[in-house]
Amino acid sequence: MDVTRKAGLEEGAEPLDGIIVGELPSDVFARRFGNYFFSDIDLNSSESIISTLRQVAVVCSGLDSEVDVFASSSRRFLARLDNEASWPREIKKLSREMWVDGDTGGMFIIDRRKKWVIYQARPVDLAVLAVDCHADLRGISAVRDSFFTIGDVKNWLSLRTARDRELVDVFGSGFLSALVESYS
């Protein structure tokens, strides 16, 4: 198992050219990706979302995938995880270390091949997963269970069902409309 911790950018982490510091609902990425998925689950501590990301990594990058983990607030490199590492355990450990250091922000995780990146500014914010992968990720049940798409948001904004109205009330129609505009 290879977990490189706190090595810093000078010791092997790629430059952060795929992320710009911004806040959702604006586009937070410096380049466009093929697909975007969103989640309101805490990336720092949710075993289910971390396991889902592991599945995305394998589908998009194969069994030899590696990711770099950064703190969102400081853009500080936290660790490099390979496919042998226990991603849920390691990311939870990194989250605890951030908290002890006084960093209560979120994380972002970048695939070393830059096929995907997930960004969450703070654990209470939406996370956005940007993907350039030819596989149909919506075919993975864990992706359907943990993420929603701009198509889902457009459906919610139609207010056809009680659930649509509830979701629009929770997120706010202005926020959701801006999210659709930024990521369509």
Side-chain angles (χ1 to χ4, degrees):
M1 167 176 47
D2 182 26
V3 178
T4 305
R5 292 185 169 273
K6 296 189 182 185
L9 291 174
E10 67 282 352
E11 295 180 32
E14 295 282 323
L16 303 178
D17 60 0
I19 298 282
I20 55 174
V21 176
E23 297 289 325
L24 290 174
S26 297
D27 188 354
V28 298
F29 301 106
R31 70 177 177 96
R32 294 299 293 175
F33 286 83
N35 293 292
Y36 298 97
F37 300 89
F38 303 89
S39 180
D40 63 351
I41 301 171
D42 175 11
L43 173 62
N44 290 25
S45 64
S46 170
E47 191 166 316
S48 68
I49 201 161
I50 297 165
S51 295
T52 300
L53 291 175
R54 177 74 168 258
Q55 289 180 32
V56 168
V58 169
V59 167
C60 290
S61 299
L63 292 174
D64 61 341
S65 61
E66 288 185 321
V67 295
D68 288 335
V69 182
F70 295 85
S72 291
S73 57
S74 65
R75 298 171 59 100
R76 178 173 51 108
F77 176 74
L78 300 173
R80 176 167 295 149
L81 306 176
D82 70 7
N83 200 47
E84 298 295 318
S86 171
W87 289 18
R89 185 181 70 231
E90 294 301 325
I91 290 174
K92 283 180 168 182
K93 188 184 298 183
L94 292 169
S95 178
R96 283 190 300 274
E97 290 171 9
M98 287 172 56
W99 187 81
V100 167
D101 290 345
D103 185 345
T104 58
M107 291 182 174
F108 57 94
I109 302 171
I110 300 175
D111 171 61
R112 297 274 300 144
R113 294 181 182 141
K114 304 231 190 254
K115 289 185 177 184
W116 63 270
V117 58
I118 188 165
Y119 170 79
Q120 188 172 44
R122 289 171 296 281
V124 296
D125 292 343
L126 280 183
V128 56
L129 170 63
V131 181
D132 275 335
C133 178
H134 297 295
D136 177 16
L137 297 179
R138 291 291 287 180
I140 301 171
S141 64
V143 171
R144 287 191 313 271
D145 293 344
S146 299
F147 291 93
F148 56 90
T149 65
I150 288 299
D152 295 326
V153 174
K154 288 177 181 176
N155 286 335
W156 301 342
L157 288 168
S158 70
L159 301 173
R160 283 185 238 146
T161 68
R163 182 175 185 272
D164 294 343
R165 286 186 288 283
E166 180 182 330
L167 289 167
V168 170
D169 285 346
V170 167
F171 290 110
S173 65
F175 179 89
L176 293 175
S177 295
L179 195 67
V180 168
E181 186 175 319
S182 296
Y183 290 93
S184 290

